[in-house]
Amino acid sequence: MAVVLVNPEGLPQPEVYRQLSIASGSRLVFLAGQVARDGEGNPVGAGDFAAQVEQAYLNIGTALAAIGGSFDDVAKLTIYVVDWGPDKYPLLGEGVARAAAKLGVDPVKPITLLGVAALGEPDLLVEVEATAVLD
């Protein structure tokens, strides 16, 4: 099976990995974990968990739109949260709701939420990974 790797416009353009892999045939899309970075790679929402969740979800929407899909095509999310605790639930919901309003989508998806000690960069509070099906 052929796999096409894509770094869509509107997202950071890392050299060491690609944001998406698209398997031909079933059109399964595996999106790299999205964090609070804008399209130029600039940090968004320093110290603000809800703002970082919002930006991660918006990045998923941007990536999927670049290949003809949308956040509605997401089949599964995995959310990694630094120092997770139940006190963060309201902020998680706030960030998701703001992103859903901007994207015009229903954000309710199957989700795995994992508390982690740290992410790839010290200012990151959350990372959201998505699997989507376009066909």
Side-chain angles (χ1 to χ4, degrees):
M1 180 184 325
V3 175
V4 176
L5 301 175
V6 180
N7 258 343
E9 295 232 349
L11 293 179
Q13 303 291 306
E15 294 181 16
V16 296
Y17 68 93
R18 298 295 173 256
Q19 300 287 8
L20 299 166
S21 65
I22 306 166
S24 63
S26 63
R27 293 274 291 168
L28 291 175
V29 179
F30 302 93
L31 180 58
Q34 295 301 301
V35 297
R37 298 286 186 265
D38 65 16
E40 288 75 48
N42 299 311
V44 174
D48 183 339
F49 180 64
Q52 289 197 18
V53 169
E54 178 183 4
Q55 185 64 47
Y57 270 64
L58 292 174
N59 286 350
I60 291 169
T62 298
L64 292 173
I67 59 168
S70 76
F71 198 92
D72 285 331
D73 297 311
V74 171
K76 169 78 169 64
L77 295 169
T78 303
I79 303 175
Y80 303 89
V81 180
V82 174
D83 297 324
W84 173 255
D87 58 312
K88 291 187 178 176
Y89 269 121
L91 295 172
L92 176 64
E94 179 184 329
V96 170
R98 290 193 320 225
K102 287 181 180 176
L103 294 168
V105 298
D106 178 354
V108 178
K109 307 288 181 184
I111 294 174
T112 300
L113 192 148
L114 301 166
V116 297
L119 293 168
E121 298 176 43
D123 65 317
L124 298 175
L125 303 174
V126 64
E127 185 166 336
V128 183
E129 179 182 277
T131 302
V133 181
L134 298 181
D135 295 331

